[in-house]
Amino acid sequence: MNDTLIFISGFLSLVALITFFVMANNIDKIKNQLKSIDKPNWFDEYNKRTFMNRPDAEILFAAQEYVWSQINLKPSLKKYESLKLEWSDKFKLLGADFPEYPYK
């Protein structure tokens, strides 16, 4: 009888532990989803403003916000250089310079 109770208690503890980790993983996903609500996708905004022939200032703003968000996702010099190579000509066409690397 005691062996059966110990087995049941151990099994329930294991199920509770697994359930805790599954719930913790779901909370992390929910937290990340809540963080991303109502944040515009700046690359889509840049494309939309470009193809709808918006003023250069609006297009430039969307491009700057996109580049800034990409730099902050992974703040490394390598990522900055790849973004600079890709976007510096577009910034010049819109009348601005590509920003300096902010994390020195």
Side-chain angles (χ1 to χ4, degrees):
M1 181 77 178
N2 285 337
D3 292 337
T4 307
L5 290 176
I6 292 173
F7 176 75
I8 291 173
S9 174
F11 180 73
L12 290 176
S13 297
L14 181 63
V15 168
L17 186 64
I18 292 171
T19 304
F20 171 76
F21 284 115
V22 168
M23 289 175 55
N25 189 23
N26 289 340
I27 289 172
D28 190 42
K29 288 179 185 175
I30 292 169
K31 183 177 78 172
N32 288 339
Q33 185 177 9
L34 288 175
K35 282 182 181 179
S36 66
I37 289 177
D38 295 334
K39 288 188 178 179
N41 182 339
W42 287 110
F43 186 72
D44 289 345
E45 287 292 320
Y46 167 77
N47 283 332
K48 180 173 70 174
R49 293 173 188 193
T50 300
F51 292 115
M52 293 183 73
N53 294 323
R54 299 285 188 222
D56 285 348
E58 286 186 31
I59 298 169
L60 177 63
F61 178 76
Q64 288 171 332
E65 289 295 323
Y66 173 72
V67 168
W68 179 250
S69 67
Q70 292 300 306
I71 288 173
N72 284 324
L73 279 178
K74 186 177 179 184
S76 69
L77 194 56
K78 183 178 179 182
K79 178 71 174 175
Y80 171 79
E81 291 297 330
S82 68
L83 286 169
K84 186 174 183 178
L85 183 66
E86 180 182 352
W87 285 88
S88 62
D89 292 336
K90 295 174 186 175
F91 273 57
K92 286 180 185 174
L93 288 174
L94 295 170
D97 293 327
F98 195 81
E100 294 295 322
Y101 184 63
Y103 304 108
K104 291 185 179 182

